[in-house]
Amino acid sequence: MKNVAIVGASGYTGGELLRMLSVHPEVEVTEITSRKLDGQPVHKTHPHIRDTGLVFKDKKPSDIDADVIFTATPHGASMKIVPELLETGAKVVDLSGDYRYRNTEVYEKWYGMKHTDKKNKGAFGLPELYRDEIEKANLVSNPGCFPTGAILSSYPLVKNDLVEKIVIDSKSGVSGAGVTPSGTTHYPNIADNVNPYKISAHRHTSEIQQELHGFDDVKVSFTPHLVPVNRGIQTTSHSFLKEEHLDITPDEIRSLYEEEYGDEYFIKLMDEGEIPHLSSVRGSNFVHIGGFEIDETGRIVMLSCIDNLVKGASGQAIQNMNIVLGLKEQLGLQHLGIYP
Amino acid sequence: MKNVAIVGASGYTGGELLRMLSVHPEVEVTEITSRKLDGQPVHKTHPHIRDTGLVFKDKKPSDIDADVIFTATPHGASMKIVPELLETGAKVVDLSGDYRYRNTEVYEKWYGMKHTDKKNKGAFGLPELYRDEIEKANLVSNPGCFPTGAILSSYPLVKNDLVEKIVIDSKSGVSGAGVTPSGTTHYPNIADNVNPYKISAHRHTSEIQQELHGFDDVKVSFTPHLVPVNRGIQTTSHSFLKEEHLDITPDEIRSLYEEEYGDEYFIKLMDEGEIPHLSSVRGSNFVHIGGFEIDETGRIVMLSCIDNLVKGASGQAIQNMNIVLGLKEQLGLQHLGIYP
Amino acid sequence: MKNVAIVGASGYTGGELLRMLSVHPEVEVTEITSRKLDGQPVHKTHPHIRDTGLVFKDKKPSDIDADVIFTATPHGASMKIVPELLETGAKVVDLSGDYRYRNTEVYEKWYGMKHTDKKNKGAFGLPELYRDEIEKANLVSNPGCFPTGAILSSYPLVKNDLVEKIVIDSKSGVSGAGVTPSGTTHYPNIADNVNPYKISAHRHTSEIQQELHGFDDVKVSFTPHLVPVNRGIQTTSHSFLKEEHLDITPDEIRSLYEEEYGDEYFIKLMDEGEIPHLSSVRGSNFVHIGGFEIDETGRIVMLSCIDNLVKGASGQAIQNMNIVLGLKEQLGLQHLGIYP
Amino acid sequence: MKNVAIVGASGYTGGELLRMLSVHPEVEVTEITSRKLDGQPVHKTHPHIRDTGLVFKDKKPSDIDADVIFTATPHGASMKIVPELLETGAKVVDLSGDYRYRNTEVYEKWYGMKHTDKKNKGAFGLPELYRDEIEKANLVSNPGCFPTGAILSSYPLVKNDLVEKIVIDSKSGVSGAGVTPSGTTHYPNIADNVNPYKISAHRHTSEIQQELHGFDDVKVSFTPHLVPVNRGIQTTSHSFLKEEHLDITPDEIRSLYEEEYGDEYFIKLMDEGEIPHLSSVRGSNFVHIGGFEIDETGRIVMLSCIDNLVKGASGQAIQNMNIVLGLKEQLGLQHLGIYP
């Protein structure tokens, strides 16, 4: 058994790590930290996690003793503690945005703050794209929730240089806004409503662009919406074919996805005409991808569904942990979506 | 007082006509027809419409006696009865798709059936664009719900020849799927979910294209989604500026909308940074339009919200009725949205 | 036209007063006050109330000049300003709990604070029970939302001395918790959930008891729940027949309700077997009452539905205003529920 | 590995059995039957169950070869096939109501049909009450969803002869109404609504009475409601103390529950003042019980939450399977609730 610590375990992603690791056969959570909940038993905050004996501790990074440490800390906070955590010899999986950028200037522009740890570089923790780098890393930077769904739904299109423009229109569940109440998450503002936000300049745009841009001059734009859903991100990706590829067929596009993802345990490609649904992945680490349609304007419509707290956060973090520990990648993550 | 009849009053749009006309000062509903509900009092079907004395009747078109007749009948059924209804001398407002197309071939292609009444032409019942034609019409063809939100949110852009491509990504409440239960509307399939459908070839695409295409070679594409909402259509419209207009500013775009819609009673333009919400128009005939942002890819993001059953159907039908009867356009439609 | 002022107009009940009064033919809102929103136009807070020119003012009570003043202020705040407001000569309709109790000791016990205005007595603003007193009052105390649904659903049973015990199990929409975000109203805590609260000692218990107790030794108990609904209170009232009335029939019970409520504009009794629904009263001032069943344990099941913000608050306040002004009681309140 | 067959696997309970058994370490699903889906791969119906190779078969009961057979068939259908299934030598866990009654006359009265298999008796499959009987049984009759939550929340009260009357007011998620669309499950009829139904005579009343009555002359009544929730049953149980027990304290009541359930893996008693929530048990086999309050009318308020498809159906069926197979009771059922 390996020991796991979770730094900043008071939020939803902390709760998800605890929920999923409770049935993981090879690791055990031995420490959970939180400054404001110091001394409180875990179930006061995560009422589904009972009888574990776990108690939040306010602990200095250097005092944490574990094989793997998850940092479920906010943007800006992670880079303050990760260097010290790495010095303990632990592997670190960071769930914030701090280590996601190859170029820290992009980070500084979109997050509006100085990056204080330019020394440590994180492997970009999207195993389906970067498995080899993650295997060798001491620090893995878990991708954002929107980028996970967006990148996976469009990657084969850009890799094969088919499209010139991608409009990503994503609809997210409200758990993505975190555990802290605000006007944004006030029930009467969400229920029976659709809330677009940061419609032309959400931070995750830069993370999606980093991963989809590299290949080419493709123009990537992104607009997120909050919908009356607890968990899940449904992404509709509208991509415009390059002039020279206008005669490609839906079947040919499907083949490119099968080639790319055919061996991936967590990615399921929908049948022809089958729409991926959040309910099929709810609570699970699976990604459902469908669409594969082309309209008369040369637009490819691709669809993806993930659980924002699982494949979009804590599940993917555990997948990364499994990889850095040399375990089977799907360990502790084999449970299926809660449908309906 | 003018007399009003509703043909096919058993569905949601029939209920909405009854709800709103119950407080209209100048008209009275005197007949409601339904084949399958013949003889039933109205509140058995519309439980909020009580103490009216109204009873569904199965009646021949030629026997209906009213100043205005609403046909809330399905596509294909309207064109079978409208000619006869017009012969009674009544003005007709049709809520189906049958008379929305200037070119009936487009109808026949997208609706998959022969058009059997090529003689009668309906004015396209979007008063903000076609008020003058509606005034003179005996037959008004009420627009579709998605097209109403989509056209109004993008019209000033195409009218001013600014954009080359529009991706309309719409999210609709489930009442848009009608009153008849099916897998599509089964609560566990909708709740906590997002359901894209007909992702590259929804019928309303052709109606939106008819209205936005005409001006130019702009490429219009459309994908609808069902979201866990009762009423309302939230439209996010992603438009790409033509090369020669890349230097236009958000303020200039706003000015074009103010110019176009400044005098419209039912259209409200949001403040800078203000997001339109379904809850602000719920149950009302108002349209809230916002967005006015441009990102670095040359994409304009416009947003609109309507109640699909009101401005997207029955409210707009009453607005059209007011116009054809020479009444003040907002009569009976002044109630505000039910917020929250 | 009469002039209306709303003190504390920043919350949901303030918004509802504005929404409904905007179509009232005999009154005009001329002043809205709020300390924290001083100087802000109304639509920044109530986005559906646009183009009114209304601006929040921070105003001393004695400076308010209106025929009727609504105090949409919190418990404890109303009794501080109502005496001064009454001195301006205005009629006052108070929406807080401050003036609901015949015996201020009950108030002090359940609200945990001293009552500082024992001089002014409010008429209990449930017109269906106290119309005559309201007509003559300068101060009307609008009932609580739960009590309105609970009292109306059970009143004929206790008036006729039929039952010995009433268990009121109510399910409320989240707008009842107000406009201020908190853990209680955080979307992920409400959606897909049911939240009982204050299960044996909610304040409204005492208000319900005051109205249903008086007649007899009937034991009244009450448990509220928050359900994933925006608006509305559904009340299931389980009443146990006294030994001597065990042979009463459902039809006889129905007759008692018809006798009591037959002439009431806002109360609708459901047909046999018909269940009242929130959707039928949503946004309206109507009360739907059904049930009328008796089981083998001698339990009568009665059901009622109201919109908590309308008949449970602002609509009833306007109904009271109409009465104190000598206007037709239903003026401005005739719009039907938003179904579905 | 033991082999498992599921008869009638097309509904939600069939899907749940498949979902949970997919991570069960000691059994494998080898056959799934359905008449109408004969030949279809499982994911066409249960889109989250992919890559299993399982295909629905239309098979005669006598041809089924498995160690354990789940009958997820409707009431009335189970008793037609169970005798034959038992003859194959398999253990049978029946999820219908057919074998739940000690007295088949009660079944015949409440289900309105003749019971055609009076020979086979099922152990009542509530392990927390009947573990010893289940261990020895060849046929286990899985309890109803409402009864599971209702019985567990009140059992210690009646076992200790404390109360004379119990009013059970339950709120159920819509998945309890099954996979077949109808007006009852039509999204616009459920969303933003509360639907009481069969308010004085739901079938499950008789099952609850069977289990809670036996002890004494306690009067048990029950009213179910559908709420806008996918999964889960929240039960509020209002019990009236017998005259001679009016001085009992909340702590004493809590002690009785601790005594009864202290060793139960799947039952968690909430802390003082802690409300059980559906989100804490969603997707899991756990039962959360809280309340323990007494008001001045001598009413005890108890609360329980279960997932209607898991502890209320398929999870409990697997728990019963584990017991009849002599396996550890919690095998395959250790995953926690999906919170939020």
Side-chain angles (χ1 to χ4, degrees), chain B residues 101-263:
Chain B
Y101 293 85
R102 260 160 243 131
N103 180 347
T104 50
E105 279 172 35
V106 178
Y107 175 87
E108 294 184 338
K109 176 184 161 201
W110 286 83
Y111 283 73
M113 58 176 101
K114 276 270 152 239
H115 202 296
T116 60
D117 177 26
K118 303 196 178 177
K119 203 189 66 185
N120 292 298
K121 292 291 170 195
F124 192 77
L126 197 54
E128 288 77 9
L129 271 63
Y130 295 102
R131 189 168 285 117
D132 294 348
E133 296 183 30
I134 297 165
E135 254 168 32
K136 295 174 288 196
N138 289 321
L139 172 61
V140 183
S141 177
N142 219 51
C145 53
F146 284 121
T148 296
I151 295 164
L152 291 174
S153 68
S154 297
Y155 178 77
L157 301 180
V158 294
K159 185 179 176 190
N160 291 284
D161 202 19
L162 294 178
V163 296
E164 60 176 26
K165 233 187 204 67
I166 308 179
V167 176
I168 290 162
D169 190 297
S170 295
K171 298 90 183 168
S172 174
V174 185
S175 61
V179 77
T180 308
S182 73
T184 301
T185 63
H186 191 51
Y187 184 87
N189 292 342
I190 292 287
D192 238 30
N193 226 331
V194 174
N195 290 263
Y197 67 107
K198 294 179 189 156
I199 58 176
S200 69
H202 188 284
R203 279 171 183 173
H204 284 171
T205 308
S206 61
E207 195 179 326
I208 301 168
Q209 286 175 340
Q210 170 179 276
E211 299 304 317
L212 296 182
H213 245 187
F215 300 92
D216 211 290
D217 56 341
V218 57
K219 283 187 182 165
V220 177
S221 59
F222 169 60
T223 297
H225 305 69
L226 281 186
V227 287
V229 160
N230 254 338
R231 287 167 171 256
I233 293 177
Q234 189 277 336
T235 294
T236 301
S237 156
H238 314 267
S239 297
F240 288 91
L241 285 164
K242 293 192 168 175
E243 197 71 28
E244 62 267 33
H245 294 296
L246 278 173
D247 54 354
I248 200 168
T249 67
D251 279 352
E252 287 168 329
I253 288 171
R254 175 183 290 275
S255 297
L256 297 173
Y257 278 75
E258 282 167 355
E259 202 174 293
E260 187 66 36
Y261 296 138
D263 296 331

Side-chain angles (χ1 to χ4, degrees), chain D residues 6 21 30 39-40 55 95 118 121 126 136 159 164 173 177 185 188 203 217 220-222 257 310 327 331:
Chain D
I6 305 169
L21 292 174
T30 49
Q40 271 199 22
V55 171
L95 283 87
K118 302 196 179 178
K121 292 290 169 193
L126 196 55
K136 294 173 290 196
K159 185 179 177 191
E164 59 175 28
T185 64
R203 276 171 184 172
D217 56 340
V220 177
S221 59
F222 168 60
Y257 279 75
V310 187
L327 300 172
L331 231 49

Side-chain angles (χ1 to χ4, degrees), chain C residues 97-149:
Chain C
D98 287 358
Y99 294 94
R100 289 182 195 149
Y101 292 86
R102 261 162 240 132
N103 181 345
T104 50
E105 278 171 37
V106 178
Y107 175 87
E108 295 184 338
K109 176 185 161 199
W110 287 83
Y111 283 73
M113 58 175 99
K114 276 269 151 241
H115 202 294
T116 60
D117 177 25
K118 302 196 179 178
K119 204 189 67 185
N120 292 298
K121 292 291 170 194
F124 192 77
L126 197 54
E128 287 77 9
L129 270 64
Y130 294 102
R131 189 168 285 117
D132 294 347
E133 297 183 27
I134 298 165
E135 251 169 33
K136 294 173 289 194
N138 289 320
L139 171 61
V140 183
S141 177
N142 219 51
C145 52
F146 284 121
T148 295

Side-chain angles (χ1 to χ4, degrees), chain C residues 190 192-196 225-228, chain D residues 171 227 229 234 276-278:
Chain C
I190 291 287
D192 238 29
N193 225 330
V194 174
N195 290 263
H225 305 68
L226 281 186
V227 287
Chain D
K171 297 90 184 170
V227 288
V229 160
Q234 188 277 336
H277 284 120
L278 296 179

Side-chain angles (χ1 to χ4, degrees), chain C residues 290-302:
Chain C
F292 306 108
E293 296 191 15
I294 307 176
D295 73 10
E296 56 184 24
T297 72
R299 178 182 59 128
I300 305 175
V301 188
M302 291 300 306

Side-chain angles (χ1 to χ4, degrees), chain B residues 43 51 231 268 271 274 340, chain C residues 43 51 231 268 271 340:
Chain B
H43 80 276
D51 305 328
R231 287 167 171 256
K268 305 291 177 195
D271 295 347
E274 187 188 13
Chain C
H43 81 276
D51 305 328
R231 287 167 172 255
K268 304 291 178 197
D271 295 348

Side-chain angles (χ1 to χ4, degrees), chain B residues 12 16 19 22 43-44 47-51 230-231 268 270-271 274 280 288 336-340, chain C residues 12 16 19 22 43-44 47-51 231 268-271 274 280 288 336-340:
Chain B
Y12 287 146
E16 282 295 271
R19 174 177 75 84
S22 76
H43 80 276
K44 296 278 181 194
H48 54 322
I49 316 283
R50 302 185 89 90
D51 305 328
N230 254 338
R231 287 167 171 256
K268 305 291 177 195
M270 300 297 98
D271 295 347
E274 187 188 13
S280 296
H288 282 199
L336 301 171
I338 303 290
Y339 169 94
Chain C
Y12 287 145
E16 282 294 271
R19 174 177 75 85
S22 77
H43 81 276
K44 296 277 181 194
H48 54 321
I49 316 282
R50 301 184 90 89
D51 305 328
R231 287 167 172 255
K268 304 291 178 197
L269 303 181
M270 301 296 99
D271 295 348
E274 187 188 12
S280 296
H288 281 199
L336 300 172
I338 303 291
Y339 169 94

